[in-house]
Amino acid sequence: MPILNCAAEMQEEVAGWRRHLHQTPELNFDVFQTAGFVTEKLKAFGCDEVVTGLGKTGVVGIIRGRKGDGPTIGLRADMDALPIDEITGKPWASTVRGKMHACGHDGHTAMLLGAAKYLAETRNFAGTVAVIFQPAEEGGGGGNEMVKDGMMERFDIEKVFGMHNMPGLPVGQFAIRPGPIMAATAAFTITVKGRGGHAAMPHGTIDPIVIASQLVGALQTVASRSTDPVEAVVVSVTKFHAGDAYNVISESAEIAGTVRTLKKQIAKKAEERIRALCEGLGLAFGATVAVEYSSGYPVTFNHPEEMMFASDIAANVAGDGQVHRAIEPIMGSEDFSYMLEARPGAFIFIGNGDTAGLHNPAYDFNDEAIPHGMSYWVKLAETALAA
Ligand code: NI
């Protein structure tokens, strides 16, 4: 089955919404106009319920099928933009200096609104569709806030599905993989406190620079000697600050960096190894080594059964040869991961064609992808909730 006729017919209308959203980008949780636009549309479509203010500025629309009882599935889009100055020169370019939709969340929101309009008109399913519009995907953890606000329990959501555009993947194609599809992130700051003194009399000091330098070397062993070589882990030290003078050994040194992983147990092991190395080297040299470790977004993990289901839907919409079912994981991160930790589901990429990359000032969402994305959402809902 190709893309739905209705989705093709609605392309212009949905592209209009997309371009409107593109002109008025908002950041993080401050997506008040965008959430207002979404709310107004969902109400106009006749959603059974429209709930605002979930996870601060998130919106959920509830659409009940006309074919009887069934479970509730969640379809999720993100609404926030990025602090980038747009250079596309398009007629619908951002009107807000320093902000732009450089990740295509305008397109994600518009496509899910299009699907919501169709689903609210036809209601050709048994059960309930929850259309989820989240704020603050770009670092604020808006998805997590919605989960913490009790969204899954409140609407009795059983499964969740997410979609992101991918530049470089032809329009009309989809890409997915079972298991980890995007990485988990963590950040660390390590403060080495030694004993400062005269640079010509090092024996009377505990030199934090020497200790921190050893630590930078030791941290490389998290990947090279503590992790199975076939597993993915990145430990990068990206900051090193210490000292102010040629002839003074400083009191302290600070290093900081990032950790990326694809599995929970590897993430846990990496943190344990980093803490152990800090403690051990501190002991060895008589310094105090303090570690601040903060986990960012978890691994975006596609549950195997739902991944198969999602890729079959994509193949149904796009054709079998148009769906890549085993792409390599991407070491970026995504806060739909929190929803996938709360409920089974799958995250899929949709082709954006030959455009500039994500987070690039020349990027623009490709409106040609709209019928494909909309058809995917509609087909997924109608199949998952078939009477
Ligand atoms: Ni994005």
Side-chain angles (χ1 to χ4, degrees):
M1 202 208 84
I3 56 172
L4 297 167
N5 288 336
C6 68
E9 282 158 18
M10 283 174 67
Q11 180 178 356
E12 209 172 310
E13 182 183 17
V14 176
W17 302 339
R18 204 283 291 181
R19 292 172 184 191
H20 167 75
L21 293 171
H22 193 89
Q23 284 184 306
T24 53
E26 298 174 292
L27 304 183
N28 296 316
F29 288 100
D30 298 330
V31 290
F32 301 106
Q33 285 185 63
T34 310
F37 180 83
V38 166
T39 304
E40 197 183 295
K41 288 284 174 219
L42 293 177
K43 284 184 175 165
F45 301 158
C47 285
D48 298 286
E49 266 182 81
V50 180
V51 180
T52 61
L54 277 162
K56 298 181 185 157
T57 40
V59 182
V60 173
I62 297 295
I63 307 165
R64 295 195 184 92
R66 61 177 164 80
K67 295 197 157 175
D69 287 341
T72 301
I73 59 161
L75 312 180
R76 169 274 199 179
D78 37 17
M79 299 189 285
D80 57 320
L82 284 157
I84 294 177
D85 256 325
E86 178 161 356
I87 59 164
T88 65
K90 297 264 173 77
W92 54 85
S94 170
T95 58
V96 188
R97 230 186 120 84
K99 297 180 190 177
M100 82 171 277
H101 270 292
C103 202
H105 298 186
D106 50 344
H108 304 162
T109 295
M111 288 192 292
L112 188 56
L113 279 176
K117 183 178 183 185
Y118 176 84
L119 290 168
E121 268 170 24
T122 53
R123 298 180 185 261
N124 194 22
F125 52 90
T128 303
V129 175
V131 286
I132 302 165
F133 297 86
Q134 73 148 85
E137 194 287 319
E138 303 286 0
N144 191 26
E145 291 304 314
M146 290 185 90
V147 171
K148 286 200 297 194
D149 243 359
M151 174 179 74
M152 298 300 181
E153 297 77 14
R154 178 168 177 175
F155 302 110
D156 212 9
I157 295 170
E158 272 191 18
K159 294 180 177 189
V160 284
F161 296 89
M163 175 165 39
H164 204 292
N165 76 94
M166 182 184 266
L169 185 68
V171 170
Q173 293 195 0
F174 291 87
I176 194 167
R177 64 172 277 120
I181 187 163
M182 295 190 77
T185 67
F188 59 83
T189 302
I190 298 167
T191 308
V192 180
K193 267 221 159 85
R195 187 166 59 235
H198 200 297
M201 289 166 247
H203 57 289
T205 72
I206 297 172
D207 188 341
I209 292 181
V210 171
I211 301 165
S213 302
Q214 305 253 353
L215 204 44
V216 173
L219 289 174
Q220 309 309 310
T221 66
V222 175
S224 69
R225 286 298 174 269
S226 300
T227 308
D228 184 331
V230 300
E231 301 288 359
V233 60
V234 180
V235 179
S236 291
V237 174
T238 54
K239 295 191 206 177
F240 194 136
H241 299 299
D244 297 299
Y246 287 107
N247 55 359
V248 178
I249 287 170
S250 67
E251 283 281 320
S252 66
E254 188 181 283
I255 61 178
T258 184
V259 179
R260 305 291 165 110
T261 50
L262 291 173
K263 285 185 185 166
K264 259 205 155 135
Q265 63 269 34
I266 304 289
K268 191 163 165 269
K269 178 94 180 279
E271 179 178 354
E272 282 168 10
R273 288 305 303 147
I274 289 169
R275 288 186 184 281
L277 289 166
C278 288
E279 203 187 317
L281 275 168
L283 267 176
F285 291 105
T288 322
V289 183
V291 184
E292 261 177 68
Y293 200 94
S294 59
S295 299
Y297 293 172
V299 174
T300 304
F301 186 89
N302 277 337
H303 299 244
E305 195 181 313
E306 286 70 25
M307 174 272 167
M308 277 306 291
F309 175 73
S311 56
D312 287 346
I313 296 294
N316 188 298
V317 167
D320 236 341
Q322 303 288 91
V323 181
H324 307 272
R325 294 171 186 253
I327 55 163
E328 292 296 324
I330 290 163
M331 294 309 276
S333 64
E334 163 62 59
D335 91 339
F336 185 60
S337 50
Y338 291 105
M339 296 193 194
L340 287 175
E341 284 199 329
R343 292 294 182 270
F347 186 70
I348 198 166
F349 292 107
I350 180 171
N352 202 54
D354 187 19
T355 63
L358 300 173
H359 297 208
N360 183 300
Y363 169 87
D364 192 27
F365 179 81
N366 191 336
D367 289 328
E368 298 299 317
I370 288 171
H372 304 278
M374 259 188 72
S375 298
Y376 171 78
W377 282 138
V378 166
K379 206 66 204 155
L380 189 151
E382 289 181 348
T383 310
L385 304 174

